[in-house]
Amino acid sequence: MRAKLSSTFQSLTVRNYRLFAIGQLIKLIGVWVMFIAQDWLVLELSGDSATALGVVVALQFAPVLLLTLLSGRLADRYDKRMLLLVANATWTVLALAMSLLVVTGVVQLWHVFVFAGLLGVANAVETPVRQAFVSELVGTTLLPNALALSSATFNSARVLGPALAGVAIAVFDVGPVFLVSAVATVAPLVGLLRMRAAELHRADLPPIGERETAKVVDGLRYVARRPDLLLPMALMSIIGMVLFNFQITLAALAKTVFNTGAATFGVFTTMLALGSLAGALAGSTRRERPSVWLVLGAAVGCATFGTLVGLAPTYWLVVLLLLPAGFFMIFFAQASNQRVQLGVDAAFRGRVMALWVLVFLGTNPVGAPLIGWVAETYGAAASIWLGGLISLAVALLALAWQLHRTGARLRLRIRPLPAFYVVPATKSEPAVTPV
């Protein structure tokens, strides 16, 4: 057990990464508290409109479509640590301004729309830079572990944030909750300022002159020539658009289907986050690049349990199903992220990770309003199971394409436990080299 724990949390022995992780955990807890409070505020201001909730989520992520690729270029050209300082400072100022509007009671729905868009701009710059910065904190050897722990940090915040938000909103109302969550966003700034620049792993980066000529289009061409990067990105773009919208659907499910309050919404998101945390930790001991079959299997599991959540007829069954749904959702996202990060050259990492963030978050502006409309027109449950079925169809099509491309075959093993496994192509059945 001691050896297992040591391996799981190995990246935390690196001082710079430890400061990074602590700052991110505190900030993300505050961000999730603010998101829950924001969702509840929007429903109150709009008369329980799921469409309005979808518009807010779309505004949060729309800047990702416009700015993320540019941010990736910046990450490959300039000091990532300084870029993160600027982006996080901007986020803090905006969050404090929004919290003051809520505390003073003058907030209106259009205020929420405007600040959602502005926070989205800061997030569009910060996220791809942060993704690429992890490799500079720990180096290539510990990168899989650091990525897994970063995912675990994110999902730990998703466990604590909604649970704290549900109780805090009920006790203090949304105003004080917004203010405390805004103050928490100062933590990453402290961590970044305390880092030792001399201990960052930058030896594998190209010379400054080459970085100055980095172009967005070169990053796109690089990915276009790499089917092993294209497949996880394509899967994430579709599944992320139609299924990764629980911020909208669970709020609507709690309020309109089960007629419950903020505390129940907090239970839903907490159970989803607990499963997500388990999924993140499950891959924390990984030391090599995940196979394409692992990514595809996780995608099928994610889509299957997402569909079951939408079809569940009772409140407690939804609560139980959110655990495996959260597990496979993050296990799939993490395995896809690791497959991309561990397969990219250092010179292109910023631009490739920007493209990853684009497909991971940038599809929300497209999917969120549509999912919100489906939830409002046909019910929140329908918006979940429909997204699950679309995701399942896409995952199975991708699996069939990969099997055909490589000449491999899928087999079912009954003993000792039922499980599917992949049989590689034989020498008499030549196939294209597996992704």
Side-chain angles (χ1 to χ4, degrees):
M1 178 62 71
R2 184 177 302 170
K4 180 72 171 178
L5 290 175
S6 176
S7 177
T8 299
F9 300 101
Q10 189 174 1
S11 293
L12 293 178
T13 61
V14 180
R15 181 181 183 274
N16 282 346
Y17 182 79
R18 188 165 61 248
L19 290 170
F20 172 82
I22 293 172
Q24 286 297 311
L25 178 61
I26 296 173
K27 175 192 173 179
L28 289 171
I29 290 174
V31 167
W32 276 104
V33 169
M34 184 170 64
F35 281 169
I36 299 299
Q38 175 187 269
D39 293 346
W40 211 250
L41 179 65
V42 169
L43 290 175
E44 289 179 350
L45 294 175
S46 64
D48 295 340
S49 173
T51 301
L53 196 58
V55 170
V56 170
V57 175
L59 288 171
Q60 283 177 336
F61 294 106
V64 175
L65 290 172
L66 304 174
L67 301 174
T68 296
L69 293 179
L70 175 61
S71 177
R73 184 190 181 197
L74 293 175
D76 282 336
R77 294 183 65 179
Y78 301 112
D79 188 323
K80 298 179 182 64
R81 180 164 161 259
M82 293 304 300
L83 290 173
L84 288 176
L85 280 169
V86 173
N88 278 282
T90 303
W91 178 286
T92 298
V93 171
L94 290 171
L96 286 171
M98 179 63 188
S99 66
L100 290 177
L101 286 177
V102 180
V103 169
T104 55
V106 300
V107 66
Q108 298 180 33
L109 187 60
W110 71 268
H111 291 145
V112 184
F113 289 161
V114 170
F115 276 95
L118 292 176
L119 288 172
V121 172
N123 192 46
V125 174
E126 189 264 354
T127 303
V129 178
R130 171 168 43 84
Q131 292 268 347
F133 186 54
V134 175
S135 64
E136 293 189 12
L137 291 170
V138 297
T140 304
T141 304
L142 288 177
L143 184 57
N145 178 254
L147 292 175
L149 288 182
S150 295
S151 181
T153 298
F154 177 81
N155 288 290
S156 296
R158 290 184 63 191
V159 172
L160 297 172
L164 291 173
V167 175
I169 292 172
V171 176
F172 302 107
D173 203 7
V174 293
V177 173
F178 262 96
L179 186 58
V180 173
S181 64
V183 173
T185 62
V186 176
L189 295 174
V190 177
L192 288 166
L193 289 171
R194 293 188 61 198
M195 287 181 185
R196 297 168 181 163
E199 296 179 5
L200 294 174
H201 296 257
R202 293 171 170 172
D204 58 348
L205 293 177
I208 297 293
E210 293 182 23
R211 279 187 272 164
E212 292 298 325
T213 61
K215 297 179 181 179
V216 171
V217 67
D218 292 333
L220 296 176
R221 289 170 179 164
Y222 176 81
V223 174
R225 296 192 298 265
R226 297 285 303 276
D228 59 323
L229 302 181
L230 277 175
L231 182 61
M233 286 188 177
L235 278 173
M236 180 54 69
S237 65
I238 299 175
I239 296 177
M241 179 172 63
V242 300
L243 188 58
F244 280 37
N245 287 288
F246 284 115
Q247 183 180 350
I248 301 171
T249 54
L250 291 184
L253 195 68
K255 198 170 181 68
T256 63
V257 176
F258 296 108
N259 300 313
T260 52
T264 297
F265 177 34
V267 171
F268 279 170
T269 53
T270 299
M271 295 300 286
L272 182 73
L274 281 171
S276 300
L277 177 59
L281 291 176
S284 62
T285 57
R286 190 176 294 132
R287 291 292 180 269
E288 57 186 19
R289 194 181 186 207
S291 71
V292 66
W293 308 114
L294 182 68
V295 172
L296 289 167
V300 172
C302 172
T304 299
F305 281 101
T307 303
L308 293 175
V309 167
L311 295 175
T314 64
Y315 165 77
W316 287 110
L317 187 55
V318 171
V319 170
L320 292 175
L321 286 170
L322 282 172
L323 278 171
F327 177 93
F328 280 103
M329 182 176 71
I330 296 304
F331 193 79
F332 161 63
Q334 182 190 83
S336 300
N337 187 326
Q338 291 175 335
R339 183 159 179 80
V340 171
Q341 282 245 41
L342 295 174
V344 65
D345 295 329
F348 291 92
R349 181 169 282 115
R351 282 164 288 177
V352 172
M353 293 316 298
L355 187 57
W356 166 260
V357 172
L358 180 63
V359 301
F360 185 54
L361 299 179
T363 51
N364 281 84
V366 179
L370 179 60
I371 294 296
W373 176 81
V374 172
E376 193 166 331
T377 306
Y378 300 103
S383 68
I384 298 174
W385 63 254
L386 182 60
L389 287 179
I390 294 173
S391 300
L392 184 59
V394 169
L396 292 176
L397 282 173
L399 176 61
W401 176 83
Q402 185 66 20
L403 289 170
H404 175 75
R405 179 175 180 271
T406 61
R409 286 173 171 73
L410 196 64
R411 294 286 185 265
L412 174 63
R413 181 178 59 199
I414 302 299
R415 296 177 180 178
L417 292 174
F420 286 100
Y421 65 100
V422 176
V423 179
T426 63
K427 293 182 179 180
S428 60
E429 299 172 322
V432 180
T433 301
V435 173

